[in-house]
Amino acid sequence: MKLFTHHQKVSQEQMDDLAIQIMEELHNETDENTRREQMLRLLHASEISVQTVCPDGKTLGFYLAREMSGPALKTFQDLGGDLCAWDKHGNTLMFEALSGFSIFLGNDWDRDCIELLQQQGLNFAQTNIWGQTPIFGLQQALNTKDVGYSFNAEGHKDYFQDRIAEYIELLQWAQQLGADLRHTENDGQSIFDLPEGAEFTPLRNRLEKVRCELDRENLLQHISQPTTVAQRKM
């Protein structure tokens, strides 16, 4: 069976369609051999291989990561796919996983996907060319129309309150896995630095509570640290 190489030009739309097909067919399949056969069949039908790269530097693995499917990613890896790949902007599959809509769906396979990526050495500290860590991808997902907001009658951005609550929970979850919520990108901005505008007020208020909690935790940690003799004399 011939699979096309990474030299083939494939559009992002083609790769996205293939990822959706794979997700639909492999979603309920528990047998690893069957999953491999199904993915191989879909790859062959699409004339795409696990090494095929889109113009933006993304392989099929990036699109599967956006779907947050651990089993599909594992099958992709078993067929020779690289889970440690970087796209042309320096984003990892961990960044891609957190920047997709599926992160807000709370699927059962979320934990498997993130654990698999962590086993490959990916983490929440790796940065892209703009100095952004994967939690910036999470913020990008929230700022996607029809995911985190709609437009009100005046045509202004109107955040979904339940999405804001989910976003805060996901930030706390990422922090437990090692994410630094205070990390700043190359321009000095962090996830707490939001644009001006009334539409950002609900999100800004919730993030301010998170920042206050971080300040409190840092203060308690500082207080609990033992003081040396030299420090007491100062």
Side-chain angles (χ1 to χ4, degrees):
M1 178 182 294
K2 177 184 177 183
L3 292 180
F4 282 62
T5 69
H6 62 283
H7 299 295
Q8 181 198 11
K9 292 183 179 180
V10 175
S11 69
Q12 294 167 259
E13 290 75 16
Q14 287 175 286
M15 200 71 89
D16 194 37
D17 289 343
L18 175 58
I20 292 173
Q21 281 185 289
I22 289 173
M23 289 299 305
E24 290 177 347
E25 294 214 17
L26 272 66
H27 178 64
N28 295 315
E29 182 54 61
T30 58
D31 182 71
E32 292 185 7
N33 290 328
T34 303
R35 281 205 304 262
R36 281 194 290 269
E37 291 173 3
Q38 290 175 326
M39 187 176 290
L40 277 172
R41 176 174 51 78
L42 291 170
L43 286 169
H44 183 67
S46 302
E47 299 185 339
I48 292 174
S49 81
V50 292
Q51 285 85 28
T52 300
V53 180
C54 287
D56 59 3
K58 290 181 170 61
T59 62
L60 175 62
F62 282 85
Y63 292 84
L64 294 176
R66 287 180 71 87
E67 300 294 338
M68 293 294 287
S69 173
L73 268 181
K74 184 64 172 64
T75 303
F76 170 79
Q77 182 187 37
D78 291 343
L79 294 176
D82 184 7
L83 299 186
C84 296
W86 304 68
D87 68 12
K88 70 176 185 178
H89 299 302
N91 293 318
T92 64
L93 271 72
M94 183 73 80
F95 189 102
E96 198 74 14
L98 267 64
S99 64
F101 171 71
S102 294
I103 189 70
F104 283 98
L105 296 181
N107 292 316
D108 295 336
W109 55 65
D110 292 358
R111 185 185 300 273
D112 291 339
C113 177
I114 298 301
E115 286 182 353
L116 176 60
L117 295 177
Q118 287 182 311
Q119 289 168 7
Q120 309 310 306
L122 302 184
N123 57 55
F124 290 90
Q126 291 162 322
T127 58
N128 59 21
I129 61 175
W130 298 291
Q132 299 170 332
T133 60
I135 58 170
F136 285 82
L138 184 59
Q139 192 173 64
Q140 289 177 17
L142 179 70
N143 282 307
T144 302
K145 186 179 180 296
D146 298 328
V147 175
Y149 70 90
S150 61
F151 289 105
N152 58 28
E154 290 75 33
H156 299 143
K157 183 183 292 187
D158 190 11
Y159 273 97
F160 302 135
Q161 295 302 308
D162 58 338
R163 282 285 185 254
I164 292 179
E166 289 179 77
Y167 173 62
I168 298 302
E169 291 178 4
L170 287 167
L171 282 179
Q172 294 169 335
W173 164 73
Q175 184 186 22
Q176 293 174 355
L177 293 176
D180 177 11
L181 302 189
R182 291 186 178 279
H183 176 83
T184 57
E185 53 185 325
N186 294 344
D187 64 1
Q189 300 289 301
S190 74
I191 60 170
F192 298 105
D193 297 308
L194 299 175
E196 296 296 328
E199 69 268 26
F200 292 101
T201 299
L203 178 58
R204 184 179 291 107
N205 290 341
R206 293 297 300 273
L207 282 175
E208 188 58 32
K209 292 181 179 179
V210 174
R211 176 151 43 188
C212 289
E213 181 62 25
L214 286 175
D215 290 339
R216 188 183 72 84
E217 291 176 359
N218 290 339
L219 178 60
L220 291 175
Q221 184 178 13
H222 177 74
I223 293 174
S224 63
Q225 289 178 345
T227 305
T228 65
V229 174
Q231 288 175 322
R232 287 197 294 269
K233 289 181 177 180
M234 293 178 64

